[in-house]
Amino acid sequence: MAVVLFARRVRLRAALVRNARPTGREEGASTQRLGRELSHVLGQKKLLQKIGPGLMHAFIFWGFLVLLPTIAEAAVAIVDRGATLPLIGDATWFAFLTDVFATLVAIGVAMAFFIRKVLRPDRFRGSHMEEADRILLAILAIVVSLLLWNAARIALGIAEPGARPVSDLLSNLFGTGSGTEFAERILVWIHLLVILGFLVYLPASKHLHIATAAANVWLAKAGPTGRLEPNRIDLEAAEEDIRFGVATQKDLSRKEMLDLFTCTECGRCQDACPAWATGKPLSPKLLIMDLRDRVVAEAAGVVELQPLVPNAVIDQVVWDCVTCGACVRECPVDIEHVDTIVDLRRNLVMAESRFPQEAGAMLRGVENQENPWGQPASARLDWAKHLEVRVLKEGDPAPEVLFWV
């Protein structure tokens, strides 16, 4: 039942990503993509740039990778208390790893609560803190119930004590009678039911990044991160299919759509953003969150399909971005905020002629004189008239360094 509910709840978001327009990038395997998966996803490279929060997340992430087989182990044990998994179920090394990493996950959760409730960094401003608290408590319940279940099994003689130091210590809480037998049944059921509840809750929460982060990192740019995707306009297409940037959710690319469901709300992008630091409305994190909420609401039929600007984000937010790329550099799951912002701008300029008043003269200059100052082409070299600047002429040998104006 839980798996069915999970599939039904994730179907809407999966359809949005699947039906989004192609990214226009090569999406096949490459050494760069494989290396990025190993470093950014498995190695948690970007997160570990801040050692405290990085270790916190790494403990939880690595812990759940190691503990995945214990879900099947618990499911088997519900049917038969003495049964276990083939090959690894009786392995001493597996028992030791699960015990150690379950403890590390609990430590990671404690670190997360300390950061969020005591240190309270400004980067969490605007994030869904209560939702994060519920997720953290669920994770804590999963690993604590696992440790206590193993402790009860050790007390009953079902599991070997030597390979599980933490569970062995906790086994002193239990006796060997029928009360412990009952507790063992209750604990294994609690463990599995919390996992299944977590599975059902996951699709509608920010922790959907557990399922989307690897794909989002895979689809990230293979070249320089500052390169913008060209605005591909097919003038031979039907009028309704011609796209000038992003107006509604139907114009978002597959990567831009996946970005929305991969945001962890960690606020690292917000912390690095110069616009946010100077008191402007733009927060890269809040931009992604607001777009995500609007896209999901429209897809669910809660609100009608409308332009994302200003119905999801206001004009000023889109224009406050200086396209420095600090947000993209900091994001641990390779969300490309700048590309989405630029696509929103493209639509405002090209389809609606809507832009800040200060940009009007610059855009007219570029359109009419091919420079933002609106100067005639004949005046291009006036600045160098009284300077000893060598101007290349046809037939001159190519210099080592060229200052192009």
Side-chain angles (χ1 to χ4, degrees):
M1 178 64 72
V3 175
V4 171
L5 288 173
F6 169 80
R8 289 184 62 180
R9 299 191 78 188
V10 83
R11 187 184 303 157
L12 173 68
R13 289 156 178 79
L16 284 168
V17 175
R18 184 173 59 252
N19 296 330
R21 65 178 176 84
T23 59
R25 303 175 187 172
E26 173 58 47
E27 298 177 3
S30 67
T31 54
Q32 183 181 8
R33 281 200 166 97
L34 292 171
R36 196 163 54 212
E37 290 289 322
L38 290 173
S39 63
H40 290 190
V41 180
L42 190 61
Q44 304 280 282
K45 178 182 176 181
K46 282 191 170 183
L47 283 161
L48 289 169
Q49 290 176 144
K50 293 184 177 180
I51 192 65
L55 284 175
M56 173 272 293
H57 192 276
F59 286 165
I60 296 173
F61 173 73
W62 292 333
F64 267 83
L65 289 182
V66 173
L67 296 175
L68 276 175
T70 64
I71 301 173
E73 186 179 37
V76 169
I78 280 178
V79 179
D80 182 354
R81 175 183 287 155
T84 187
L85 297 178
L87 299 179
I88 61 173
D90 293 322
T92 302
W93 62 267
F94 177 69
F96 177 76
L97 282 179
T98 56
D99 210 57
V100 169
F101 275 94
T103 305
L104 286 177
V105 171
I107 292 171
V109 170
M111 292 172 67
F113 275 119
F114 178 78
I115 292 169
R116 290 170 176 271
K117 304 302 180 185
V118 179
L119 299 182
R120 302 177 67 86
D122 187 64
R123 61 187 174 90
F124 287 130
R125 198 195 314 176
S127 298
H128 293 104
M129 299 295 283
E130 291 183 1
E131 178 187 301
D133 292 346
R134 288 194 293 269
I135 290 290
L136 288 170
L137 288 173
I139 293 171
L140 185 62
I142 289 170
V143 294
V144 169
S145 61
L146 176 64
L147 289 170
L148 289 174
W149 173 51
N150 282 328
R153 293 170 71 211
I154 290 172
L156 293 170
I158 300 172
E160 292 294 327
R164 294 183 169 92
V166 178
S167 296
D168 192 19
L169 185 64
L170 292 173
S171 67
N172 294 317
L173 300 172
F174 300 95
T176 56
S178 59
T180 299
E181 292 180 359
F182 180 73
E184 187 270 339
R185 291 290 85 191
I186 293 295
L187 287 166
V188 69
W189 272 105
I190 288 174
H191 178 65
L192 200 58
L193 288 174
V194 173
I195 290 173
L196 295 175
F198 182 86
L199 186 68
V200 173
Y201 182 73
L202 186 67
S205 76
K206 75 184 187 69
H207 278 73
L208 185 60
H209 74 267
I210 295 171
T212 60
N216 205 55
V217 170
W218 182 269
L219 290 178
K221 291 175 184 172
T225 56
R227 178 182 59 83
L228 291 173
E229 294 293 335
N231 189 26
R232 298 178 177 89
I233 302 174
D234 184 4
L235 297 177
E236 297 181 359
E239 184 176 349
E240 61 271 17
D241 295 331
I242 297 177
R243 186 186 67 86
F244 297 100
V246 168
T248 69
Q249 63 158 284
K250 292 184 177 180
D251 300 320
L252 291 167
S253 74
R254 195 164 292 135
K255 177 64 168 68
E256 289 168 339
M257 187 69 77
L258 195 59
D259 280 346
L260 305 186
F261 300 127
T262 308
C263 179
T264 67
E265 300 183 17
C266 68
R268 285 170 173 81
C269 57
Q270 181 173 285
D271 225 18
C273 179
W276 180 261
T278 52
K280 294 182 174 63
L282 170 63
S283 158
K285 176 187 72 177
L286 297 179
L287 170 97
I288 294 295
M289 290 169 59
D290 290 341
L291 290 173
R292 176 192 64 203
D293 293 345
R294 180 73 194 190
V295 163
V296 171
E298 289 180 351
V302 177
V303 295
E304 61 182 6
L305 182 70
Q306 290 182 320
L308 295 172
V309 183
N311 295 290
V313 294
I314 61 174
D315 291 52
Q316 187 177 348
V317 164
V318 175
W319 290 106
D320 278 343
C321 179
V322 297
T323 63
C324 66
C327 51
V328 180
R329 183 193 64 210
E330 291 297 319
C331 181
V333 289
D334 287 352
I335 291 172
E336 295 169 354
H337 316 72
V338 173
D339 291 71
T340 301
I341 291 172
V342 168
D343 262 345
L344 292 170
R345 283 181 181 175
R346 283 168 171 166
N347 181 262
L348 293 179
V349 173
M350 300 175 71
E352 301 188 32
S353 296
R354 196 166 99 220
F355 41 79
Q357 184 177 357
E358 300 87 345
M362 181 273 291
L363 291 170
R364 284 192 298 272
V366 170
E367 182 179 9
N368 298 326
Q369 303 293 343
E370 299 182 347
N371 66 80
W373 302 280
Q375 298 296 316
S378 59
R380 183 175 173 185
L381 289 175
D382 285 356
W383 66 276
K385 279 183 179 178
H386 305 294
L387 300 174
E388 295 182 2
V389 176
R390 177 190 168 198
V391 179
L392 290 182
K393 295 180 176 58
E394 188 175 352
D396 286 354
E400 291 185 11
V401 178
L402 174 66
F403 180 46
W404 186 85
V405 180

